[in-house]
Amino acid sequence: MSDLLELLERVPGRGPEAPPEFGAMLDDISRAFGAERTLIALYDPERRSLRGTVGRNVPADLVEALQVPLTERDDPLVSALRSGIPQRVRATATDPRIGPHARDILLELGFDKFVVASLHGETESLGVLLIDRKAELTDQDLEALVPAAMQASTEIQRARDVDRLRGASTRDAVEREWLWWMVNSVADPIVVSDEQNQLVLQNKSAEKLFRVTAADVPGRAHAVTMNNVLFTAALSSWNLERGTVARPREITLVDPVEGSDLIFEVIAQPATNYRGGERGMVCVLKNVTELRLVSEELTRNVQRLQSADQEMRLERDRLDLILRSVPNPIIVIDSDDQAVSMNAAAQRLFGAPQALGGPVAAGRRQDLELRNNAKLASFIAQLRLDPGVRKSGEIQVVDPESEEQLEMAVISTEIRDDVGVPVATVTVMQDVGRYRELERRRLEQALFDSEKLAATGRLAASIAHEINNPLEAIHNSLYLLVNKSDPSDPDHKFLAIAMKETERMSRILRQMLGFYRPAAAMAPTDVNALVDEAESLVAKRLRDRRSRIVKELDPALPKVVASSDQLKQVILNLMLNAAEAMPNGGTITVSTRALGGGGARILRSDAVQIQIRDEGVGIPEEHMSQLFEPFFSTKGEKGTGLGLWVSYGIVQAHGGSLQVRSREGEGTTFNITLPIGGPASG
Ligand code: ADP
Ligand code: MG
């Protein structure tokens, strides 16, 4: 603001130079008093002195050189000004009241004697009037001088007022001009609103938001109208808070050109125009749209970071938990062979890593831990020599707690950084000794079971063989007796029962003998044809039970070296069992397919599979282990419990396998897998 005032001072039209009317006025006075020379010295408030301003019949360039400070109270000019009483100076050269400087100038101006009268306006002293006349001024002259001075004062006063006014209005215009520049060179919109919150003044930037012009397209005009409404409404609500603590105020306006939202922070300052007494608001609008977007983006990023951090922590905890709860020993070793992480299972074998501050076990236990460590270290050292990043093998360690020998399968993997430098080695172990022991036991059990089955089979077969001949004799005898006896004889029915039961016994024996008969000749057999034959044999029985057979036979099925009679018996047994498992009927699906190389469980590379699937009652879990035992049956009187036992024996004799899968209430699937070359031994 001070710069502005300074500029205003320099504006022409203001300043100490006297208006030309003073010359005419002096002429009038000179004439009225017959003065030889006259001079007006006006009071200069800045210098606090009287200064020569205009003169008549004096050297013009000297006029302004006359200066008398008001502090020189004795000086006749000063005392005339102060007292209002005209002062007479008879001899300038010798008058003791006049200072040396003023004296020289006065003499040069020609005032070797003079009368000085004060000039004053209504409220202020204006200056003094000096008159020099050849003839000394009389007292009447002096008296007449007072009204003349008065008149001159009035004139000076008026001139000065006019001058001041003119200066003032020029100053206003200039100020306005600068204000215009000031307000419009600001990029932020600035507005002034009246008491009704209507916009009364705005700078150029504000006009873009708030002023409708005739050239506006409807879209822009609408946006501008909206902005006015929004702003007035906002101002109304803020006005209510007048006098409360200022807080950042915000308003969202519409960009009239883009149509997008603009967010402004508004600095609102209540203002009063003292000239008119109106009150209003001066508002500076700061566009913070970008800022807000950036800060929102920042907030989002921070949140994203935080949640990522949290997720990472969760992930780490989860990993930790997994590591801790895995029963396999896991060890992470850094590139200096220092263990940096070990789970509990690993610590049990190798002791806590020193870095983790675990207690050092004492005595024998520590000894065992050290030995384990040495074994692991040499295993990992080997890995370093190998070009690969992974190495697997086995080491023998001792459980320091139970002192049990453990066979550990070890897999060590080198972890490398971006540039391929190894930074850590992760080692995972698996106690395979225990696993192997379990596997061995399982195999032993299976062997034992199958031997038991075979032994039972052999025993049963030899008994069957021994019983078969006497039973034939009994059967024949009974046959004769039944034919001879009279059907009306009350004993006839006992003979019939004996006949029926003997027949049943021989049926059982036949089934057993059929399987253990010395192996029938094996020949390449068309399994699909066997399925067809078996189907025709059971067709009638199936029809009675409202069951049907669906066949999915592989037309390219290779022939299998087998005993066709025995194999047919197996397929028959399984079909009948399937039918019997579906008391209310259903579908039995029989399919055949060739098994390629590695897919087979059996050792031969090529095999065929026969699958018999039903939708019957299924087999309860607890029956599974007994299924293939002789005489196991859930069918009471009607079952022999030999079908599966015999079938199992036949399939095994062919070097194949018989497997069952079942789900109670849903059905059962039997898979016969046969090597196409027949049994391995011959
Ligand atoms: P049997 O048929 O004379 O009972 P098996 O040796 O053929 O003797 O079958 C033994 C037992 O196995 C049957 O009693 C039955 O409980 C069960 N079983 C065999 N096949 C099936 C099947 N497809 N669905 C349900 N249970 C079956
Ligand atoms: Mg059966």
Side-chain angles (χ1 to χ4, degrees):
M1 229 23 202
S2 62
D3 288 350
L4 184 68
L5 283 181
E6 206 177 297
L7 282 165
L8 289 168
E9 291 293 349
R10 281 196 232 125
V11 174
R14 254 174 69 90
E17 123 202 15
E21 302 93 285
F22 287 10
M25 179 188 73
L26 280 185
D27 286 345
D28 287 350
I29 291 174
S30 299
R31 222 175 299 118
F33 289 91
E36 209 151 305
R37 54 186 64 80
T38 49
L39 185 140
I40 290 176
L42 289 179
Y43 173 57
D44 183 340
E46 243 169 72
R47 297 185 193 179
R48 296 193 49 77
S49 55
L50 285 165
R51 262 180 89 182
T53 306
V54 64
R56 270 287 164 268
N57 203 20
V58 290
D61 50 335
L62 271 178
V63 170
E64 286 187 26
L66 178 67
Q67 278 198 48
V68 185
L70 289 203
T71 46
E72 294 184 15
R73 290 173 161 271
D74 288 343
D75 186 278
L77 275 65
V78 176
S79 55
L81 183 78
R82 285 185 180 280
S83 63
I85 301 163
Q87 303 288 318
R88 201 191 285 274
V89 176
R90 291 219 157 76
T92 306
T94 55
D95 197 316
R97 295 173 298 171
I98 302 172
H101 172 77
R103 183 190 325 275
D104 289 349
I105 302 291
L106 281 169
L107 288 174
E108 270 190 72
L109 282 166
F111 288 95
D112 48 354
K113 57 175 182 358
F114 59 92
V115 171
V116 56
S118 78
L119 301 166
H120 48 93
E122 276 166 36
T123 54
E124 54 182 334
S125 300
L126 298 173
V128 291
L129 167 69
L130 280 73
I131 296 176
D132 179 19
R133 196 171 73 175
K134 265 216 180 84
E136 195 169 298
L137 282 128
T138 62
D139 286 347
Q140 282 111 316
D141 286 336
L142 285 189
E143 263 167 51
L145 190 55
V146 174
M150 285 269 273
Q151 207 186 325
S153 299
T154 315
E155 232 169 280
I156 291 170
Q157 179 80 61
R158 191 183 310 130
R160 204 175 251 196
D161 283 350
V162 167
D163 190 28
R164 237 183 236 165
L165 266 176
R166 190 185 296 142
S169 71
T170 313
R171 196 169 59 228
D172 278 356
V174 169
E175 250 172 46
R176 261 204 303 280
E177 176 76 8
W178 286 124
L179 274 174
W180 188 92
W181 280 106
M182 191 166 85
V183 166
N184 283 317
S185 47
V186 179
D188 296 330
I190 302 175
V191 297
V192 178
S193 62
D194 63 12
E195 242 162 328
Q196 280 70 50
N197 297 318
Q198 299 296 323
L199 302 187
V200 288
L201 277 176
Q202 48 198 316
N203 69 351
K204 290 274 173 219
S205 335
E207 281 177 4
K208 287 183 194 143
L209 289 171
F210 296 112
R211 173 159 290 174
V212 192
T213 66
D216 278 347
V217 292
R220 200 194 106 91
H222 179 72
V224 168
T225 316
M226 273 281 288
N227 284 347
N228 275 287
V229 172
L230 285 171
F231 196 74
T232 304
L235 271 185
S236 311
S237 66
W238 297 339
N239 265 347
L240 295 174
E241 299 160 22
R242 198 175 268 187
T244 61
V245 183
R247 51 186 182 76
R249 286 153 167 162
E250 232 180 67
I251 184 169
T252 305
L253 299 176
V254 185
D255 185 329
V257 180
E258 306 280 335
S260 53
D261 276 358
L262 293 176
I263 306 169
F264 287 99
E265 213 168 80
V266 182
I267 302 160
Q269 178 68 46
T272 306
N273 189 329
Y274 287 106
R275 207 165 269 279
E278 297 116 343
R279 292 151 70 81
M281 282 275 193
V282 178
C283 298
V284 180
L285 286 75
K286 199 140 195 73
N287 188 340
V288 291
T289 316
E290 284 287 296
L291 209 72
R292 201 50 44 88
L293 289 179
V294 169
S295 99
E296 272 167 19
E297 181 66 28
L298 259 174
T299 316
R300 265 200 300 278
N301 278 344
V302 167
Q303 279 169 351
R304 224 174 287 151
L305 265 176
Q306 277 171 345
S307 65
D309 186 51
Q310 210 167 3
E311 236 161 70
M312 237 168 70
R313 229 172 286 194
L314 274 176
E315 187 63 39
R316 202 193 50 209
D317 290 352
R318 225 176 288 147
L319 263 174
D320 238 41
L321 190 71
I322 292 172
L323 262 186
R324 255 185 289 134
S325 47
V326 165
N328 299 47
I330 299 174
I331 304 166
V332 182
I333 292 170
D334 67 12
S335 49
D336 299 326
D337 284 343
Q338 291 296 310
V340 287
S341 184
M342 278 176 141
N343 67 353
Q347 288 185 25
R348 181 185 160 122
L349 294 180
F350 300 98
Q354 297 306 317
L356 298 182
V360 179
R364 174 148 178 82
R365 179 157 181 188
Q366 190 189 10
D367 201 43
L368 290 172
E369 280 176 8
L370 283 175
R371 258 192 258 173
N372 288 345
N373 269 307
K375 283 183 177 162
L376 180 66
S378 80
F379 179 85
I380 290 168
Q382 193 61 41
L383 169 73
R384 300 267 157 83
L385 298 178
D386 284 353
V389 291
R390 176 166 299 159
K391 179 174 156 62
S392 57
E394 265 180 42
I395 58 172
Q396 301 264 349
V397 293
V398 176
D399 183 338
E401 240 171 75
S402 63
E403 303 207 1
E404 194 184 337
Q405 284 278 347
L406 301 173
E407 282 171 53
M408 288 287 190
V410 187
I411 297 180
S412 285
T413 308
E414 247 179 18
I415 310 287
R416 299 186 176 199
D417 64 10
D418 297 344
V419 287
V421 175
V423 286
T425 306
V426 179
T427 304
V428 184
M429 299 183 194
Q430 163 90 41
D431 181 352
V432 285
R434 213 174 293 255
Y435 181 73
R436 276 191 195 132
E437 176 64 19
L438 279 177
E439 180 65 14
R440 197 179 54 75
R441 281 195 203 145
R442 202 185 62 76
L443 276 175
E444 257 174 19
Q445 183 63 41
L447 204 65
F448 176 76
D449 285 350
S450 76
E451 265 169 13
K452 193 176 77 181
L453 263 183
T456 333
R458 274 193 303 278
L459 178 66
S462 63
I463 293 173
H465 190 73
E466 289 305 318
I467 291 176
N468 196 36
N469 289 340
L471 196 66
E472 285 284 299
I474 295 170
H475 184 253
N476 288 343
S477 312
L478 279 173
Y479 180 76
L480 291 173
L481 275 177
V482 169
N483 280 352
K484 259 197 215 156
S485 77
D486 186 350
S488 57
D489 186 339
D491 289 340
H492 181 85
K493 68 170 187 287
F494 295 117
L495 282 174
I497 293 173
M499 264 290 280
K500 203 175 124 230
E501 290 305 308
T502 341
E503 271 166 10
R504 181 170 140 78
M505 275 158 77
S506 38
R507 204 165 61 237
I508 294 174
L509 289 180
R510 262 201 313 280
Q511 224 168 9
M512 286 183 176
L513 289 171
F515 150 40
Y516 274 100
R517 218 177 281 140
M522 296 219 182
T525 307
D526 180 352
V527 173
N528 287 345
L530 285 185
V531 171
D532 289 337
E533 280 173 39
E535 185 197 5
S536 60
L537 286 176
V538 295
K540 186 182 159 355
R541 252 202 263 183
L542 289 188
R543 262 200 309 280
D544 295 346
R545 293 177 157 270
R546 295 194 309 280
S547 294
R548 61 191 194 106
I549 288 186
V550 172
K551 288 181 290 185
E552 293 167 356
L553 304 181
D554 180 355
L557 199 70
K559 287 197 171 167
V560 176
V561 175
S563 150
S564 58
D565 278 347
Q566 289 188 346
L567 215 51
K568 187 160 68 187
Q569 197 190 339
V570 173
I571 297 169
L572 261 173
N573 280 345
L574 297 181
M575 280 180 176
L576 287 173
N577 278 349
E580 281 156 9
M582 299 188 296
N584 300 318
T587 303
I588 302 166
T589 310
V590 182
S591 59
T592 57
R593 64 187 180 120
L595 295 182
R601 283 256 188 116
I602 48 174
L603 296 173
R604 297 297 178 77
S605 58
D606 290 306
V608 299
Q609 190 178 62
I610 310 156
Q611 187 180 79
I612 293 151
R613 195 167 78 232
D614 66 58
E615 317 164 323
V617 293
I619 303 167
E621 184 65 42
E622 64 265 28
H623 289 171
M624 280 296 190
S625 59
Q626 296 161 272
L627 218 56
F628 296 106
E629 283 178 6
F631 306 113
F632 173 77
S633 174
T634 56
K635 294 170 189 166
E637 275 287 286
K638 276 184 262 163
T640 62
L642 290 173
L644 286 181
W645 174 66
V646 167
S647 302
Y648 188 89
I650 292 174
V651 172
Q652 264 202 332
H654 281 76
S657 71
L658 177 59
Q659 277 153 352
V660 59
R661 267 197 329 266
S662 184
R663 210 179 261 269
E664 260 194 282
E666 286 179 24
T668 305
T669 303
F670 278 93
N671 278 319
I672 308 163
T673 311
L674 297 168
I676 57 174
S681 52

